[in-house]
Amino acid sequence: MDLDTYRIAPDQPVHLADLDPDAPAGIDKDDALDQVADATDQLSELQERLYAEGRHKVLVVLQAIDTGGKDGAIRKVFGPLNPQGVRIASFKAPTGPELAHDYLWRIHRETPGTGEIVVFNRSHYEDVLVVRVHGLVPEERWRARYRHLVEFERMLAEEGTTIVKCFLHISRDEQRERLQARVDDPTKRWKFNPGDLEERARWDDYVAAFDEMLSRTSTAYAPWYVVPANRKWFRDLVISRLLVETLRNLDPRFPEADPSIVTTQIA
Ligand code: AMP
Ligand code: MG
């Protein structure tokens, strides 16, 4: 699998409507599930080194339309990792002190420290998505944010954070099925929120906001990947492979032991 296929180049025009949300033909689900298991094993090992080395900081941003599969991807790809060293930060509608500050205030305090992998379940990008679609601030304010977002991430990257951003891409039909399943299945009903239907009615507005976000904020130091997410197993395969590749490039190593420790005999 060539992960570059899914990467958005800086300033590349993006039309989600032209990108395939389905798994490529010829990939077998059972094979893919085996490959996800292999990739998460590799990821576990790399993560242990990253944590032991305590040098790198890794930020994974997950964005998607409602029901896009952020929660499932977090469970499947990051669930098998050692919870020491992995943190999930979920961003809901801002409240209280969050609203009293600039929109990046609550984001910055959740960014990873050394040795850590942090997954953003929604992120600073909501401030050019839901905020735009619902007109929560005037257009000139959310437009200025494209500039803030790339500069904020540039600062993080220059100060040593590795950033990978995944947009989980599903079709409108797939969303209908997933919402219907939330209504029909008593074990999924807790996830259903009647507000989801109002959001679904704004599908085209969201897609326009996603298209512009992807094209304006994909950079060499913090690229966006559009992950085909109609099939959960393919989504998990792409994300887990992407993380393996990212961590391999960092080449984390267990720290060298002090030579005197190596010969210590425990009484
Ligand atoms: P969920 O991810 O289903 O728990 O929903 C979280 C909700 O918080 C979604 O409806 C988001 O659109 C909303 N949300 C997240 N960030 C913001 C933001 N910056 N401004 C307004 N709403 C937000
Ligand atoms: Mg929701």
Side-chain angles (χ1 to χ4, degrees):
M1 177 195 299
D2 184 5
L3 294 165
D4 289 347
T5 333
Y6 304 115
R7 188 170 62 224
I8 304 300
D11 299 317
Q12 177 187 326
V14 176
H15 301 286
L16 282 173
D18 299 335
L19 299 179
D20 192 355
D22 279 303
I27 299 205
D28 176 72
K29 177 177 175 179
D30 290 329
D31 288 347
L33 288 172
D34 288 345
Q35 291 172 30
V36 171
D38 283 348
T40 53
D41 284 351
Q42 291 167 27
L43 195 54
S44 283
E45 203 201 305
L46 287 159
Q47 181 220 356
E48 194 181 353
R49 290 168 184 267
L50 189 96
Y51 183 69
E53 188 182 48
R55 190 155 82 93
H56 298 288
K57 319 182 251 269
V58 177
L59 174 60
V60 182
V61 173
L62 295 182
Q63 284 289 163
I65 203 154
D66 285 338
T67 75
K70 299 186 304 302
D71 297 323
I74 288 171
R75 211 168 51 238
K76 293 283 173 41
V77 177
F78 299 94
L81 303 188
N82 184 344
Q84 292 207 87
V86 178
R87 191 156 52 81
I88 313 299
S90 296
F91 296 97
K92 310 270 184 192
T95 57
E98 295 175 343
L99 275 177
H101 288 80
D102 68 88
Y103 68 98
L104 289 174
W105 180 77
R106 65 173 184 161
I107 306 292
H108 198 176
R109 61 215 296 245
E110 298 290 353
T111 53
T114 47
E116 240 187 343
I117 300 176
V118 171
V119 183
F120 279 3
N121 180 0
R122 302 187 190 267
S123 68
H124 36 313
Y125 286 98
E126 291 294 330
D127 293 282
V128 291
L129 295 170
V130 64
V131 167
R132 166 182 175 159
V133 168
H134 286 270
L136 301 181
V137 304
E139 177 163 357
E140 68 264 25
R141 263 184 72 197
W142 60 255
R143 282 219 165 268
R145 293 177 178 176
Y146 294 120
R147 183 164 45 78
H148 309 160
L149 292 166
V150 296
E151 289 304 325
F152 172 63
E153 290 175 355
R154 185 201 298 276
M155 182 279 290
L156 292 177
E158 289 180 355
E159 293 290 326
T161 301
T162 300
I163 306 172
V164 180
K165 301 183 293 197
C166 295
F167 177 77
L168 311 185
H169 178 35
I170 60 166
S171 64
R172 200 162 187 271
D173 274 352
E174 182 64 23
Q175 190 194 52
R176 179 175 41 70
E177 283 180 28
R178 292 184 186 188
L179 285 172
Q180 192 66 56
R182 288 184 182 183
V183 173
D184 298 343
D185 179 345
T187 69
K188 290 185 176 165
R189 217 166 274 153
W190 62 276
K191 284 200 214 177
F192 185 75
N193 160 3
D196 291 346
L197 299 181
E198 282 166 44
E199 297 303 290
R200 177 168 167 78
R202 299 173 193 256
W203 178 274
D204 291 340
D205 293 343
Y206 272 105
V207 169
F210 292 136
D211 283 351
E212 193 163 359
M213 169 194 83
L214 291 164
S215 127
R216 284 184 182 267
T217 64
S218 203
T219 55
Y221 52 86
W224 275 110
Y225 289 80
V226 174
V227 178
N230 270 3
R231 300 281 73 84
K232 295 168 183 172
W233 45 270
F234 190 71
R235 166 200 79 198
D236 296 338
L237 183 59
V238 173
I239 299 175
S240 56
R241 288 263 174 95
L242 192 54
L243 265 291
V244 167
E245 186 184 273
T246 304
L247 265 62
R248 273 208 187 124
N249 287 337
L250 294 176
D251 192 21
R253 290 157 190 253
F254 290 116
E256 293 281 340
D258 183 317
S260 69
I261 294 182
V262 177
T263 55
T264 301
Q265 295 296 313
I266 309 294

